[in-house]
């Protein structure tokens, strides 16, 4: 699990790879279509796809001469879940501090 | 913004740094307290704190001989927001596909 989050977050730390994820959120796409908007060499682009696939964020399926890339939703939800959990702990603490401040204020006003 | 997400996700791709964030979500802590549970050398640990601070995920404040570390909530919310946005696009698409499948099923049943 910890290892997985390492790979998810590492894979998402690059703008080309995030652009691929943003495109794939709208639906599967062929590698050639994904590559088109990027101003880098194809081998470099393929390394990004490989990194995303190794992290489990996408899967690729070869049909004839076309390699289709699909998003894997579960790992993205896991990464989002970790961040959400930290925020909830943080916000819970902030709420308690606010309640405490309010209680102190009421007491000093009484 | 893109650059920021690079740094946020890169900083979160390490288990020691995520453990620090998990601890700090509960409230600020001194570097010595954060370091205690980790079985690594102090200089290595300080590099992790520096990486988190350079990414903007924490700030450190020196008070006398103690360096206190505070979480910065906004960047974590930005990273969570990016993931949530992708999920919403993805789920919107899945919902439309489900509605389409249902409509086709109704038509073939009629």
């Amino acid at each position: 699990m910890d290892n997985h989050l390492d790979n998810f977050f590492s894979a998402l730390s690059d703008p080309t790879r995030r652009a691929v994820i943003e495109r794939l959120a709208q639906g599967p796409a062929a590698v050639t279509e994904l590559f088109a908007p990027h101003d880098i060499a194809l081998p470099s682009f393929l390394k990004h796809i490989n990194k995303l696939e190794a992290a489990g964020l996408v899967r690729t399926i070869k049909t004839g001469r076309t390699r289709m890339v699909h998003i894997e939703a579960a790992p993205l939800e896991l990464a989002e879940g970790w961040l959400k959990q930290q925020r909830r702990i943080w916000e819970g603490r902030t709420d308690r501090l606010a309640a405490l401040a309010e209680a102190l204020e009421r007491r000093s006003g009484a």
Side-chain angles (χ1 to χ4, degrees), chain A:
Chain A
M1 157 77 179
D2 241 27
N3 242 323
H4 287 191
L5 282 177
D6 284 12
N7 294 337
F8 299 160
F9 285 128
S10 175
L12 294 174
S13 70
D14 176 274
T16 301
R17 293 195 292 267
R18 283 198 307 278
V20 168
I21 293 294
E22 285 171 2
R23 167 61 191 82
L24 292 177
Q26 298 169 25
V31 168
T32 46
E33 184 196 336
L34 290 171
F35 171 59
H38 297 283
D39 196 20
I40 57 175
L42 182 59
S44 306
F45 184 75
L46 292 177
K47 275 186 198 158
H48 285 306
I49 298 290
N50 288 345
K51 172 120 185 173
L52 285 170
E53 189 162 29
L57 293 177
V58 307
R59 67 179 189 285
T60 68
I61 299 168
K62 198 160 186 180
T63 319
R65 293 174 64 183
T66 305
R67 184 172 287 279
M68 293 297 291
V69 189
H70 301 248
I71 205 168
E72 289 283 8
L76 288 170
E77 284 166 18
L78 210 63
E80 185 189 346
W82 184 86
L83 285 163
K84 190 187 287 183
Q85 196 181 353
Q86 307 321 313
R87 182 170 53 77
R88 282 192 179 152
I89 296 168
W90 156 265
E91 286 177 350
R93 189 185 143 254
T94 311
D95 287 351
R96 283 196 306 279
L97 287 178
L100 180 66
E102 206 179 303
L104 288 172
E105 202 168 296
R106 265 201 307 275
R107 195 188 295 179
S108 70

